[in-house]
Amino acid sequence: MRVEPLIEIGRAYGPADFALLEAAFGATDIPLFLHGAQTHMIRPEMALAFGGMPMAVPTSRWQEAVALLAEIAPKHGFRIRWPLAVPLVAMSLLIGAVPMHLNATFPRFRKDDEACQ
């Protein structure tokens, strides 16, 4: 039996994203491998420290998976810039606020990338 190598198609953060990915890929015949899913679901606050949960598919199905992931994961248009982020982090440390859990899906490839052509 030959085992096909996997390719990482992105990273996910948060239990809601894991459930969305499992449901979307479960509705297709594309196998999705979520590495470390149990750890991330038990300790979602550690998702950033763990570097997110790698999402992998067999290399022969990666273009289909990228197309499906493009339908699920929105493009993140707003990015907090460093001049804005530094005062926000400093203020949260001073007043003792606990930041919200990171919850997002970041595709490694986009459907319109040259690598996907």
Side-chain angles (χ1 to χ4, degrees):
M1 184 170 109
R2 184 176 166 262
V3 178
E4 187 173 356
L6 301 175
I7 184 169
E8 183 182 327
I9 61 167
R11 298 270 171 146
Y13 298 84
D17 297 301
F18 308 156
L20 174 67
L21 291 166
E22 286 178 330
F25 279 85
T28 67
D29 63 338
I30 303 170
L32 176 69
F33 299 93
L34 301 170
H35 301 288
Q38 294 81 9
T39 304
H40 284 278
M41 289 193 189
I42 293 169
R43 299 293 307 263
E45 71 276 3
M46 297 296 293
L48 186 60
F50 291 150
M53 181 174 59
M55 304 174 294
V57 295
T59 52
S60 64
R61 307 292 302 272
W62 80 274
Q63 288 183 327
E64 298 168 68
V66 166
L68 177 60
L69 191 58
E71 299 295 322
I72 301 168
K75 289 195 176 191
H76 303 282
F78 176 74
R79 300 275 187 211
I80 295 179
R81 306 290 184 224
W82 281 110
L84 178 63
V86 172
L88 287 175
V89 170
M91 283 177 45
S92 69
L93 290 173
L94 290 174
I95 61 175
V98 178
M100 243 176 23
H101 293 292
L102 182 62
N103 204 19
T105 301
F106 295 98
R108 185 171 179 187
F109 306 102
R110 285 283 181 195
K111 198 164 68 169
D112 54 345
D113 284 348
E114 289 181 22
C116 298
Q117 304 300 328

